[in-house]
Amino acid sequence: MTASKKWSAEVTEHSDALDLEEHIFESDDARKIAASLKRSAEHSHRRKAEPFRSAMSMLNFYINRAGRNLPEERKRVLEKAKDELRVAFGREKQD
């Protein structure tokens, strides 16, 4: 395992991150991803920020860690999940 993978795994496991449903970012359903992140953020005892910020941060963290290795279709689903997350928390979608 490379150092960068170890670093991101360490962040996910031991930081004040969310306790996520396994393999949630592999789902093809953006609404399901957003609902899971919302649930995790609202029930997490590890987060320091408000639930919306924590959920959005985790989604961005995943997208950024994948970088150029993220297939375009997967990136589209995850970007749509951002919009669904905003809707789930009563925020406006961004264009």
Side-chain angles (χ1 to χ4, degrees), residues 19-83:
D19 296 317
L20 299 175
E21 179 182 332
E22 285 192 39
H23 306 288
I24 189 57
F25 293 119
E26 295 171 14
S27 174
D28 290 329
D29 185 347
R31 189 171 289 164
K32 180 180 177 182
I33 294 169
S36 178
L37 285 169
K38 183 175 192 268
R39 230 181 353 266
S40 294
E42 291 176 338
H43 292 95
S44 177
H45 298 290
R46 295 170 59 199
R47 68 175 167 77
K48 289 185 178 179
E50 65 179 86
F52 173 74
R53 281 186 49 204
S54 293
M56 189 63 76
S57 291
M58 186 56 72
L59 184 53
N60 280 319
F61 174 77
Y62 182 82
I63 292 168
N64 291 339
R65 291 311 314 156
R68 284 180 252 172
N69 297 327
L70 194 62
E72 194 58 39
E73 180 58 33
R74 173 96 333 250
K75 187 171 183 176
R76 258 193 303 278
V77 170
L78 295 172
E79 290 294 333
K80 177 126 174 72
K82 286 183 183 181
D83 289 336

